[in-house]
Amino acid sequence: MKQLPLTKQQLIAALISLSLGSVAQAALTINGSSSAESSARVSWGGADSLSEARKIMYKSSNSSPIKKVDNGYGATNITNTHSFGSSNNGFNNTNSYNTAYRGGFNSGSMIPISTDSRSVAVIDAETGETIYEKDADIARPMASITKLMTAMVVLDAGLDMREEITLDPEDFVGPKRASSRLKSGDRLNRAEMLLMALMKSENPAAKSLARNYPGGYSAFMRAMNRKAQDLGMTTAFFGDPTGLDKRNVASSNDLVKMVRAAGNYDVIRRFSTTKSYDFYVSNYSSGNRTYKANNTSSLVRSGDYPIGISKTGFINEAGRCVVMETRVNNRPAIIVILGANSSATRWGDAKNILNSLATRRTV
């Protein structure tokens, strides 16, 4: 039977369910059915998953918006409650894995591959060992990889994810001209804007999230750079929340820290790996419409690999970029690819790494 895309009404119902504290199994399933045999890659369902999402998206004033697993340095021994099965790329809330670094960078044997992108880092997230790197300490433009940091800053603020945000003309003004299917006057709630930014990489959505931050846009940018400092990203700088600013730079090794930190946010895991979503967009001036969106990652869309976090990026100065967390041979790994000269090179390098991880001995 053909799977129908999630509607806005279903999303709102799920958000209400979260806020009311329901632990019903029929929670939110994105692009999939509730069957155990479903090929759905992203789902919210069951008491544990609903509880985690509620902690993040409906934080009370005296609670933490995330589970503190890792600050990016690789110096923690707390475990992450989510793992990714190699068979179905889905969330598994019963088999946890330890994300703590038990080794140091450059302490492991490299996987025997070559890559064509300008900068690459592959880290065994269980041991902390660097298992492949190429010019990984040089700061480079990161393009829309930026939006992972944008999402973390939004979630750290503990804002109401149901609050409606209206796109202003200024949300379409940035360091570069970029295509967008959004329009001035479009209205979505904060959760939908975040999903739009992470899955579809819509720049006006990211800009609007920053503009509607406590203290405004300038305060948001200060928070982004402060977060980078807290994570130990010594090469990083953020000049805007979208990645269109070529000044947004970091080394591949520093982006590993950012991806690790992003993995502590259940919403980022789910939203960044959503394959498709039909947004119902309200607009008083131009009328309401449905915006059908697909994930910018071909690997996420195909579902051929177990991917737990994903973000792509591109501007001319950055080349084609992608970061991801994966789990192969029951071991978690973080992959950062910067500066590919084409989309084919980016995905070729990514698949080469993933296939090499699949054949790597893990004794």
Side-chain angles (χ1 to χ4, degrees):
M1 183 175 68
K2 182 178 180 181
Q3 294 177 348
L4 297 176
L6 187 71
T7 66
K8 182 173 183 176
Q9 288 76 15
Q10 288 173 308
L11 176 60
I12 292 174
L15 294 176
I16 293 173
S17 175
L18 288 174
S19 65
L20 294 177
S22 169
V23 295
Q25 290 293 325
L28 168 63
T29 299
I30 298 177
N31 199 29
S33 72
S34 59
S35 167
E37 290 77 24
S38 170
S39 61
R41 295 299 187 265
V42 182
S43 65
W44 289 354
D48 291 342
S49 189
L50 283 172
S51 176
E52 289 301 314
R54 189 186 308 115
K55 288 178 183 177
I56 298 169
M57 299 183 73
Y58 296 96
K59 182 181 79 72
S60 63
S61 59
N62 59 356
S63 63
S64 174
I66 63 169
K67 177 182 293 183
K68 295 292 185 181
V69 177
D70 190 2
N71 63 5
Y73 287 103
T76 180
N77 58 4
I78 303 174
T79 58
N80 190 324
T81 60
H82 297 287
S83 66
F84 302 86
S86 59
S87 61
N88 64 1
N89 193 22
F91 283 91
N92 182 338
N93 289 315
T94 59
N95 299 323
S96 64
Y97 64 86
N98 194 333
T99 60
Y101 280 3
R102 293 198 297 269
F105 287 128
N106 301 316
S107 63
S109 59
M110 300 289 189
I111 51 178
I113 62 170
S114 62
T115 54
D116 295 322
S117 299
R118 294 188 184 95
S119 178
V120 180
V122 184
I123 303 297
D124 184 323
E126 187 172 275
T127 66
E129 294 176 344
T130 296
I131 51 181
Y132 180 83
E133 72 171 16
K134 176 182 179 181
D135 293 334
D137 292 318
I138 301 173
R140 298 180 183 275
M142 70 180 84
S144 284
I145 307 302
T146 295
K147 293 183 176 75
L148 286 181
M149 182 65 80
T150 299
M152 286 193 285
V153 171
V154 169
L155 293 170
D156 283 347
L159 305 172
D160 184 358
M161 300 303 286
R162 295 164 296 181
E163 180 182 356
E164 186 175 80
I165 294 176
T166 302
L167 293 180
D168 285 352
E170 65 182 286
D171 296 325
F172 295 82
V173 177
K176 293 178 177 291
R177 292 184 62 86
S179 62
S180 174
R181 290 164 53 198
L182 293 171
K183 303 175 184 178
S184 178
D186 283 350
R187 294 180 292 122
L188 294 166
N189 65 38
R190 183 173 278 107
E192 292 168 320
M193 288 291 187
L194 186 59
L195 176 58
M196 186 79 79
L198 288 174
M199 179 193 72
K200 183 59 177 171
S201 204
E202 275 280 11
N203 296 304
K207 183 79 175 286
S208 71
L209 290 169
R211 182 173 53 81
N212 286 275
Y213 182 79
Y217 184 86
S218 296
F220 190 89
M221 295 314 306
R222 290 193 295 272
M224 287 186 74
N225 283 293
R226 184 166 57 250
K227 181 82 171 179
Q229 292 176 357
D230 291 344
L231 294 176
M233 299 173 64
T234 58
T235 66
F237 175 79
F238 294 94
D240 92 313
T242 69
L244 291 175
D245 193 331
K246 65 181 181 181
R247 297 178 301 163
N248 290 20
V249 298
S251 68
S252 288
N253 277 335
D254 272 351
L255 290 179
V256 167
K257 298 175 183 178
M258 188 171 80
V259 174
R260 284 176 58 86
N264 301 325
Y265 300 74
D266 211 18
V267 169
I268 294 178
R269 287 186 174 277
R270 283 155 167 72
F271 281 13
S272 72
T273 56
T274 298
K275 294 172 67 175
S276 64
Y277 187 87
D278 287 355
F279 293 89
Y280 181 78
V281 181
S282 300
N283 192 308
Y284 291 130
S285 299
S286 61
N288 303 335
R289 69 189 189 280
T290 299
Y291 180 126
K292 295 181 178 293
N294 295 315
N295 199 293
T296 57
S297 169
S298 63
L299 299 184
V300 170
R301 294 195 307 269
S302 72
D304 293 335
Y305 298 92
I307 297 174
I309 299 173
S310 176
K311 190 69 198 77
T312 63
F314 170 74
I315 57 174
N316 288 333
E317 292 85 353
R320 306 283 175 172
C321 307
V322 66
V323 299
M324 67 184 83
E325 181 195 79
T326 186
R327 189 168 180 83
V328 181
N329 280 343
N330 204 35
R331 293 175 74 97
I334 293 172
I335 301 170
V336 176
I337 296 173
L338 301 179
N341 60 13
S342 68
S343 185
T345 297
R346 171 177 59 187
W347 299 124
D349 281 348
K351 291 177 181 179
N352 189 14
I353 292 167
L354 288 164
N355 292 334
S356 295
L357 289 173
T359 59
R360 180 171 176 255
R361 293 184 61 186
T362 56
V363 295

